[in-house]
Amino acid sequence: MPLTGTPVLRIAVPGDADAVRAIVQAAYEPWIPVIGMRPLPLEADYDQLIEAGSITVLVEPGAGAIAALIVLVLEAEALLIENVAVHPVFQRRGFGRILLARAEDVARSTGVATVRLYTHRLMATNIALYERLGYAVTARDTHEGRPVVHLAKAL
């Protein structure tokens, strides 16, 4: 479905918490049978992340609904993308790419030269997407008992 306007990016507010949780649930639940466990984003405290100002939401221009989100955490050497989630109804519209570009803009504006993320090693389609977008695998290890692939993009 083509965009009918420009998506709006804004910092999430407490009233967005239910929509944020619903998007994360819808986006990550299909991965449970693939990886054999609940993905870490399903365990996050979204009220706390919203309070910290860590979540940017993307509001779909046609429906005016929150369609996607990104969770960003500034570290000393990089900007960590902790989570990118697009509701399945809104996938394949470029919203994930818009949010990843937002992360790069935030990194530049805060003076860090690297954007990094990690994902479960069995989420091969996600890893391939990140690599197509210029991210390189930097390590493979475990995080909270899950096998992960770390990726980074120098800006």
Side-chain angles (χ1 to χ4, degrees), residues 5-58:
T6 303
V8 173
L9 297 174
R10 64 172 173 78
I11 299 297
V13 297
D16 297 329
D18 288 341
V20 164
R21 281 189 284 274
I23 290 166
V24 171
Q25 186 78 23
Y28 284 95
E29 218 169 43
W31 287 104
I32 294 172
V34 174
I35 67 173
M37 62 184 69
R38 288 172 55 85
L40 282 174
L42 292 173
E43 307 301 329
D45 182 339
Y46 290 99
D47 294 311
Q48 181 181 8
L49 290 166
I50 289 170
E51 182 67 30
S54 299
I55 300 177
T56 297
V57 294
L58 182 148

Side-chain angles (χ1 to χ4, degrees), residues 92-104:
R92 303 211 175 277
R93 297 186 193 184
F95 292 164
R97 290 174 191 252
I98 290 169
L99 289 167
L100 291 169
R102 170 63 166 227
E104 293 178 22

